[in-house]
Amino acid sequence: VAMAATRRVMRAVRVFEFGGPEVLKLQSDVLVPVPKENQVLIKVHACGVNPVETYIRSGTYARKPALPYTPGSDVAGVIESVGEHVTAFKKGDRVFTLETLSGGYAEYAVAAVNRVFPLPDKLDFRQGAAIGVPYFTAYRALFQKGCAKAGESVLVHGASGGVGLAACQIARACGLKVLGTAGTEEGMNLILRNGAHQAFNHRDPNYTEGIKACTGPGGVDIIIEMLSNVNLDADLQLLSCAGRVMVVGCRGRIEINPRDTMSKESSIIGVSLFLATEEERRECATAVLDGIEAGWLKPVVGLEYPLEKVAKAHEDIIRSSGARGKMVLLL
């Protein structure tokens, strides 16, 4: 009992039932988790908000956490304490992670040590919270699943969000010809500053004609698709022979004609970071850390919210008229 009395409490967002953004409850009396062996406790400075967290919260996603839970995976902060057998980090180290065990929308979060990486001084905590899921997903989509090669062309559909900008930066650094789409003038300028050779406004009814004019009769080799329920049918018309669409995001059903894949022997490939093997995660991490060191990996932070406004953040990430970088919660 004496032990329990000394356990610290923290502010954390808790979800007790699946539903709309209003089910996100900020509580101030949540126990600070204790790191077990091969785990670390991070004092959270910033946490990224990913669209998938809204799907999980609504209860419509394939993966349902046990209730109650704290959402959030992309955390940046400082090591507060380490569990047994942890030698890679010590108290005070700046780190980022792409997966927490206790949930990232909180003042403290526990993570497995093999999911935690050093955050170089050249990036701030807001940027650190924008690395994990977006960059690992983009790298997985381009190379591990999409088999991208220097000299190929890639169209990033919805390029102004977290994963889209990551894909533009990585593809450009690796020698691909990068085309991107966004829904606003601001978004188009943003992607041009972050690796895209050309930008197209996907709200323009004839934007696919512009893409065809740019790629010529050969078509585009790879499409990184954030909204496949809207774009997949058109994507198949834009592909080259043996081209592939990487399905990174989807919010519903769509009708396509499978014959469109036969005429070009093209592929539609789903991407899920959740299914990456340990070896694949290590490969992603190496590429990402190299990119930070080389200076081409520069996370773009978009809208910022305090923890109190988490419901608004979840509303905005789905409803916003056009993404402009990675959405983060600040603690």
Side-chain angles (χ1 to χ4, degrees):
V1 179
M3 279 285 288
T6 60
R7 285 233 15 217
R8 293 181 298 166
V9 293
M10 63 175 181
R11 292 187 312 144
V13 174
R14 302 291 282 162
V15 174
F16 294 92
E17 59 181 325
F18 296 112
E22 70 282 353
V23 303
L24 297 161
K25 307 288 185 199
L26 180 58
Q27 303 203 295
S28 53
D29 58 352
V30 179
L31 283 177
V32 174
V34 176
K36 301 188 173 79
E37 64 175 336
N38 297 314
Q39 296 177 358
V40 298
L41 179 67
I42 300 167
K43 182 173 182 9
V44 178
H45 285 254
C47 182
V49 180
N50 294 298
V52 69
E53 287 146 25
T54 69
Y55 312 150
I56 293 170
R57 181 216 67 225
S58 69
T60 57
Y61 196 63
R63 289 191 347 258
K64 283 195 184 69
L67 296 165
Y69 77 98
T70 296
S73 57
D74 286 333
V75 158
V78 173
I79 297 282
E80 177 76 8
S81 62
V82 300
E84 279 183 81
H85 311 307
V86 173
T87 54
F89 299 104
K90 61 184 187 314
K91 184 176 163 68
D93 287 349
R94 287 163 44 97
V95 294
F96 72 93
T97 175
L98 75 154
E99 197 181 310
T100 68
L101 297 164
S102 58
Y105 297 6
E107 290 178 323
Y108 293 91
V110 161
V113 70
N114 63 350
R115 298 283 187 272
V116 177
F117 307 97
L119 180 65
D121 288 335
K122 64 169 87 167
L123 300 181
D124 63 30
F125 291 118
R126 292 154 48 251
Q127 291 174 302
I131 300 171
V133 168
Y135 282 88
F136 281 58
T137 300
Y139 183 85
R140 181 168 180 75
L142 282 164
F143 297 105
Q144 292 178 341
K145 294 292 161 188
C147 303
K149 293 180 180 60
E152 286 191 313
S153 57
V154 59
L155 169 64
V156 183
H157 226 154
S160 61
V163 178
L165 288 165
C168 288
Q169 290 178 3
I170 294 172
R172 180 66 180 254
C174 295
L176 281 91
K177 180 180 181 182
V178 186
L179 315 177
T181 76
T184 62
E185 196 65 39
E186 193 185 351
M188 288 167 66
N189 289 330
L190 182 64
I191 63 184
L192 287 169
R193 289 198 303 273
N194 283 279
H197 292 90
Q198 272 184 288
F200 303 88
N201 189 330
H202 52 61
R203 292 179 199 279
D204 172 352
N206 298 319
Y207 82 98
T208 53
E209 296 310 312
I211 293 170
K212 285 176 183 164
C214 183
T215 59
V220 66
D221 298 308
I222 303 172
I223 297 177
I224 306 290
E225 184 52 75
M226 312 302 167
L227 200 60
S228 42
N229 53 301
V230 172
N231 301 320
L232 188 58
D233 187 48
D235 287 343
L236 294 176
Q237 323 295 322
L238 295 172
L239 286 177
S240 64
C241 270
R244 46 265 187 225
V245 181
M246 313 310 301
V247 178
V248 172
C250 184
R251 295 181 187 174
R253 302 178 71 85
I254 186 172
E255 192 172 303
I256 62 165
N257 184 348
R259 183 169 284 161
D260 292 336
T261 65
M262 294 159 62
S263 57
K264 297 172 179 171
E265 291 196 325
S266 55
S267 315
I268 301 166
I269 302 170
V271 179
S272 170
L273 185 57
F274 184 67
L275 296 176
T277 64
E278 204 51 55
E279 193 181 354
E280 287 172 329
R281 285 170 186 272
R282 273 200 298 274
E283 183 194 338
C284 289
T286 304
V288 164
L289 293 169
D290 284 353
I292 296 172
E293 200 178 335
W296 57 256
L297 194 157
K298 290 196 188 77
V300 178
V301 177
L303 296 168
E304 303 173 7
Y305 299 79
L307 212 47
E308 295 76 30
K309 293 271 175 22
V310 64
K312 177 91 170 83
H314 268 224
E315 230 160 87
D316 291 351
I317 199 166
I318 294 302
R319 298 229 177 104
S320 74
S321 60
R324 293 178 304 282
K326 172 73 174 183
M327 183 182 282
V328 296
L329 298 172
L330 297 181
L331 287 97

